[in-house]
Amino acid sequence: DKVVNSWPRGARHAYCCMLSNPQNLDIGGLISSPRESPFAQALMSARYMLVVPNRKCSIYSRIWCTYEAFIAYSESKFIFVARPPLKGA
């Protein structure tokens, strides 16, 4: 519900690094130059960034999430934080 409720108007596609990149493998070769990494390149070509927080821990306790936010801000992307629909709305 959070993602659907917060989806940027007009956005038609999404790149989810957690679904498309190996999370538990050695990706050192992919991120040896973070700004040139596939993750950063995908974000730089995007118009929006949708941040989807969870209840277990702050996403900004993960260095890569912080770096992605930095790139989005530096590249003047529209940044949205997903939130659940308002109850009764």
Side-chain angles (χ1 to χ4, degrees):
D1 287 347
K2 266 198 306 193
V3 172
V4 172
N5 181 63
S6 305
W7 194 259
R9 186 170 297 209
R12 297 184 54 179
H13 307 283
Y15 168 80
C16 299
C17 70
M18 64 169 192
L19 299 175
S20 60
N21 296 309
Q23 298 293 305
N24 296 312
L25 300 177
D26 180 6
I27 59 169
L30 293 175
I31 62 172
S32 60
S33 176
R35 189 108 178 134
E36 303 303 317
S37 71
F39 321 108
Q41 294 299 310
L43 182 54
M44 284 189 270
S45 71
R47 188 173 191 185
Y48 311 104
M49 177 179 183
L50 179 60
V51 179
V52 184
N54 65 60
R55 293 182 181 157
K56 294 193 178 203
C57 70
S58 169
I59 56 175
Y60 299 114
S61 66
R62 299 184 66 198
I63 191 71
W64 197 261
C65 293
T66 303
Y67 184 65
E68 287 172 338
F70 168 76
I71 290 173
Y73 179 80
S74 298
E75 296 290 322
S76 300
K77 304 299 178 183
F78 293 99
I79 303 171
F80 298 87
V81 177
R83 59 189 175 102
L86 296 173
K87 292 183 182 183

